[in-house]
């Protein structure tokens, strides 16, 4: 048996006729920037997330940058981010010139620790960015409480959490803004780059709508110094088709995660913990194993692809060598870089393939 870690072409092949039709419709429409296809995806995705507004942008990183801009976060301001995340969360803060204040995860979790957020707040804190890492919602209620108490907006980085729920309510409208990526490998992925923001705040949505399009509401009239960061209508049209299948694909991920959780119980790996309030969508299924590199090679020998998310923590990246955040050490982020391993998961796999992966890991444990 062979188990690919990823197969980005799988979902295209599965629904090729509908994707091709959506693509063709945009091609024939003659509208290649914004327009009906983008507006339609925005409406559909806002509905899906149960929020009032969605604005399509060029990428998940841009969604974060534009959100920070719309909240007037800039030089001299502090933004709380997880120490353990994909680098984009950090880069967005750096791009607007604000200072990073990384906060470690809660023990037994990959997500930011609300208690340590409270301790990291200063008079300069202007935003808190929890990340729903690996498709697992962060513990939002205590974060929102802190946000209210200190009047600091929350930007949820939901790039890995399309369709996830926190306490029975879809991710997308709990905080001030949620940001999304449609990078091909995400749970809802385009055939190229794409991103979006969702919010219940009409004013913020409008600000981002203007910012993404040269700071302009009306062509050639520029209200603010904006960007060119628009969701491509071809991508929007194809995303709208894929969105109809998202729940089904997420359900497959959940079934596969259940197989891993059950069949790896007696192995020597640390399994992801699932809080009872989380309905996770398993963008990644991440285990921990002190002999991670050995396990990864062992699985590769058995034709099983795996990933490491992420091999270098943000604070050890060369990009931050000369501008390290001032608030100390990040032992969890360092530890995870050494021992996390992402198992294959996604709509391209069968549960039998996951059983094969689990068996190989049990064999590795017993060797
Ligand atoms: C993918 C991702 C992003 C960035 O999205 P892009 O569309 O690749 O720019 C941001 N944050 C997290 C947590 C991500 O996983």
């Amino acid at each position: 048996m062979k188990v690919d870690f990823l197969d980005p072409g799988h979902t295209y092949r599965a629904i090729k006729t509908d994707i091709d039709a959506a693509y063709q419709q945009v091609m024939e429409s003659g509208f290649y920037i914004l327009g009906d296809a983008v507006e339609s995806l925005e409406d559909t995705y806002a509905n899906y997330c149960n929020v009032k507004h969605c604005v399509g942008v060029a990428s998940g990183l841009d969604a974060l940058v534009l959100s920070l801009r719309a909240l007037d976060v800039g030089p001299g301001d502090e933004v709380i981010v997880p120490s353990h995340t994909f680098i984009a969360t950090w880069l967005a803060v750096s791009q607007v010139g604000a200072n990073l204040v990384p906060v470690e995860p809660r023990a037994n979790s990959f997500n930011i620790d609300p208690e340590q957020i409270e301790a990291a707040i200063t008079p300069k804190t202007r935003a808190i960015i929890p990340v729903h890492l690996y498709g697992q919602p962060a513990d939002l209620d205590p974060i929102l409480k802190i946000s209210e108490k200190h009047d600091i907006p929350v930007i949820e980085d939901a790039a890995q959490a399309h369709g996830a729920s926190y306490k029975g309510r879809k991710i997308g409208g709990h905080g001030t803004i949620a940001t999304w990526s449609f990078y091909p490998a995400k749970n809802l992925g385009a055939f190229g780059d794409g991103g979006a923001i969702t919010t219940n705040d009409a004013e913020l949505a409008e600000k981002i709508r203007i910012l993404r399009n040269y700071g302009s509401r009306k062509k050639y009239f520029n209200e603010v110094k904006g960007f060119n960061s628009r969701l491509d209508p071809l991508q929007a049209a194809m995303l709208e088709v894929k969105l109809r299948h998202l729940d089904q694909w997420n359900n497959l991920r959940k079934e596969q995660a259940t197989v891993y959780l059950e069949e790896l119980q007696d192995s020597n790996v640390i399994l992801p913990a699932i809080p009872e309030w989380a309905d996770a969508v398993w963008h990644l299924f991440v285990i921990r194993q002190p002999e991670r590199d050995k396990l990864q090679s062992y699985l590769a020998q058995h034709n099983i692809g795996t990933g490491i998310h992420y091999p270098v923590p943000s604070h050890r990246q060369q990009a931050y060598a000369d501008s390290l955040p001032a608030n100390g050490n990040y032992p969890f982020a360092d530890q995870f870089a050494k021992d996390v391993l992402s198992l294959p998961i996604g709509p391209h796999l069968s549960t039998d393939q996951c059983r094969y992966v689990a068996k190989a890991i049990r064999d590795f444990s017993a060797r």
Side-chain angles (χ1 to χ4, degrees):
M1 196 175 298
K2 182 166 185 290
V3 188
D4 290 323
F5 181 68
L6 268 180
D7 178 5
H10 170 85
T11 49
Y12 171 59
R13 292 190 299 275
I15 54 170
K16 178 176 171 9
T17 313
D18 289 349
I19 295 281
D20 288 351
Y23 174 88
Q24 208 168 345
Q25 197 177 354
V26 174
M27 290 308 287
E28 285 171 4
S29 75
F31 288 93
Y32 307 127
I33 297 292
L34 296 176
D36 289 348
V38 172
E39 280 172 32
S40 176
L41 188 267
E42 288 172 344
D43 285 350
T44 313
Y45 198 59
N47 273 331
Y48 178 82
C49 297
N50 244 308
V51 289
K52 291 197 184 121
H53 312 280
C54 171
V55 183
V57 299
S59 72
L61 175 58
D62 277 10
L64 284 164
V65 171
L66 297 187
S67 297
L68 289 163
R69 291 267 175 186
L71 290 164
D72 298 315
V73 178
D77 296 335
E78 290 177 359
V79 178
I80 293 175
V81 296
S83 60
H84 179 59
T85 181
F86 177 57
I87 189 88
T89 320
W90 284 42
L91 291 176
V93 175
S94 302
Q95 275 198 24
V96 301
N99 297 322
L100 291 156
V101 180
V103 164
E104 285 264 276
R106 188 183 260 166
N108 207 18
S109 163
F110 291 116
N111 279 327
I112 196 163
D113 182 354
E115 275 180 40
Q116 294 183 61
I117 292 179
E118 176 96 64
I121 286 179
T122 78
K124 290 181 180 169
T125 311
R126 296 294 306 282
I128 304 166
I129 314 187
V131 179
H132 306 303
L133 203 66
Y134 307 152
Q136 189 91 244
D139 193 2
L140 286 170
D141 276 351
I143 298 174
L144 295 171
K145 216 179 242 173
I146 296 164
S147 144
E148 236 168 74
K149 179 173 156 199
H150 298 272
D151 197 19
I152 298 168
V154 170
I155 302 171
E156 297 170 66
D157 183 342
Q160 303 189 358
H162 314 76
S165 294
Y166 176 75
K167 296 190 178 170
R169 197 178 132 212
K170 278 256 166 68
I171 294 297
H174 293 268
T176 316
I177 305 186
T179 66
W180 304 90
S181 163
F182 302 128
Y183 176 81
K186 305 286 159 125
N187 288 38
L188 179 60
F191 300 92
D193 278 309
I197 65 98
T198 52
T199 180
N200 285 309
D201 185 324
E203 207 177 304
L204 274 177
E206 183 64 6
K207 259 182 146 174
I208 291 171
R209 226 175 266 290
I210 294 168
L211 277 174
R212 76 170 170 184
N213 192 23
Y214 295 116
S216 155
R217 218 181 299 240
K218 189 174 160 203
K219 208 168 187 180
Y220 307 129
F221 293 82
N222 303 82
E223 300 167 33
V224 290
K225 299 183 192 80
F227 300 77
N228 176 353
S229 179
R230 301 171 294 215
L231 177 62
D232 179 343
L234 278 169
Q235 299 301 342
M238 295 188 283
L239 281 166
E240 189 150 355
V241 174
K242 284 185 103 180
L243 182 52
R244 300 203 283 268
H245 301 267
L246 177 61
D247 287 343
Q248 184 200 333
W249 290 335
N250 279 343
N251 285 337
L252 287 175
R253 290 174 183 271
K254 289 176 197 181
E255 281 170 28
Q256 294 160 6
T258 306
V259 169
Y260 286 143
L261 290 167
E262 283 173 7
E263 304 218 347
L264 290 175
Q265 246 166 44
D266 299 324
S267 67
N268 63 1
V269 303
I270 302 175
L271 291 168
I274 314 151
E276 80 283 359
W277 38 257
D279 181 13
V281 288
W282 301 104
H283 172 59
L284 295 168
F285 191 95
V286 178
I287 60 171
R288 300 177 55 203
Q289 187 357 304
E291 294 184 291
R292 188 266 316 277
D293 292 339
K294 271 191 196 161
L295 174 58
Q296 186 174 37
S297 325
Y298 182 87
L299 294 177
Q301 281 158 22
H302 291 78
N303 289 319
I304 297 166
T306 53
I308 295 173
H309 300 87
Y310 299 91
V312 181
S314 301
H315 68 280
R316 302 228 178 254
Q317 294 286 355
Q318 193 185 339
Y320 283 101
D322 58 358
S323 58
L324 263 186
N327 72 332
N329 301 319
Y330 312 103
F332 275 109
D334 279 329
Q335 186 57 39
F336 292 159
K338 288 186 198 124
D339 66 16
V340 293
L341 187 67
S342 307
L343 304 184
I345 196 162
H348 65 293
L349 296 177
S350 67
T351 43
D352 275 350
Q353 284 174 297
C354 298
R355 281 181 222 287
Y356 171 76
V357 175
K359 165 108 181 26
I361 295 171
R362 286 200 310 272
D363 290 348
F364 176 83
S365 300
R367 87 210 180 282

